[in-house]
């Protein structure tokens, strides 16, 4: 059934199906007896559609968060940050959160120690 339907499609659409099926560019050129430039043009169109599909999925995932994502994108471009820079920033942010938690714990400990010191001073007096 699928094979019969594919035969009724244009070479352009059938080439897209072959790309989707992970066939090589050479296989498409041979199958349709077309020149390299035509195969490359078909493949370029196919890749554009696939990438656009990926962008649509990302946009749908982001929905309400798209403005913050766009802001981050512009800031990354402005600062000239690399992928490694971004990874380091995220990791450092996580480390900072852990350090903040440790400081909070130490501050609580210091407060308890100060309270205990005050009690002991009162007992001595």
């Amino acid at each position: 059934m699928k094979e019969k339907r594919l035969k009724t499609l244009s070479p352009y659409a059938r080439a897209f199906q072959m790309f989707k099926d992970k066939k090589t560019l050479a296989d498409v050129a041979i199958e349709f007896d077309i020149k390299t430039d035509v195969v490359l043009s078909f493949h370029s169109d196919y890749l554009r559609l696939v990438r656009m599909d990926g962008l649509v999925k990302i946009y749908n995932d982001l929905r309400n968060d798209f403005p913050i994502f766009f802001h981050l994108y512009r800031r990354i471009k402005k600062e000239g940050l690399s992928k490694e820079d971004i990874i380091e920033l995220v990791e450092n942010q996580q480390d900072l959160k852990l350090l903040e938690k440790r400081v909070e714990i130490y501050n609580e400990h210091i407060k308890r120690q100060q309270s205990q010191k005050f009690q002991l001073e009162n007992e001595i007096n």
Side-chain angles (χ1 to χ4, degrees):
M1 179 82 169
K2 181 180 175 182
E3 288 295 321
K4 186 177 180 181
R5 189 178 75 73
L6 280 176
K7 293 288 183 194
T8 63
L9 297 176
S10 69
Y12 185 72
R14 289 173 45 208
F16 271 43
Q17 184 61 54
M18 289 180 74
F19 297 139
K20 191 174 178 184
D21 293 341
K22 308 287 189 234
K23 300 295 183 190
T24 67
L25 297 176
D27 289 339
V28 174
I30 293 166
E31 175 75 19
F32 301 112
D33 189 24
I34 53 179
K35 295 184 183 259
T36 300
D37 291 343
V38 175
V39 174
L40 291 174
S41 175
F42 286 4
H43 192 249
S44 176
D45 289 352
Y46 172 77
L47 291 176
R48 281 188 15 231
L49 286 178
V50 171
R51 287 185 192 124
M52 289 301 291
D53 187 47
L55 286 174
V56 169
K57 286 177 185 174
I58 289 170
Y59 180 78
N60 286 334
D61 276 349
L62 291 172
R63 291 253 183 224
N64 296 333
D65 295 327
F66 190 76
I68 187 73
F69 177 81
F70 192 63
H71 172 77
L72 288 171
Y73 170 77
R74 285 189 304 214
R75 186 66 190 264
I76 287 167
K77 288 297 184 187
K78 179 182 174 187
E79 299 295 334
L81 299 176
S82 68
K83 180 179 174 182
E84 291 77 22
D85 293 333
I86 296 165
I87 291 168
E88 186 177 341
L89 282 170
V90 170
E91 288 172 350
N92 287 341
Q93 181 62 31
Q94 293 303 316
D95 291 345
L96 184 59
K97 285 180 182 180
L98 292 173
L99 289 173
E100 286 174 346
K101 186 69 174 167
R102 286 176 71 183
V103 166
E104 197 177 295
I105 291 168
Y106 289 143
N107 282 337
E108 288 299 318
H109 180 70
I110 290 169
K111 286 178 186 174
R112 285 193 304 274
Q113 293 293 317
Q114 287 173 336
S115 175
Q116 188 177 14
K117 178 185 169 217
F118 182 73
Q119 287 176 343
L120 289 171
E121 286 173 345
N122 281 341
E123 285 179 22
I124 291 174
N125 292 335

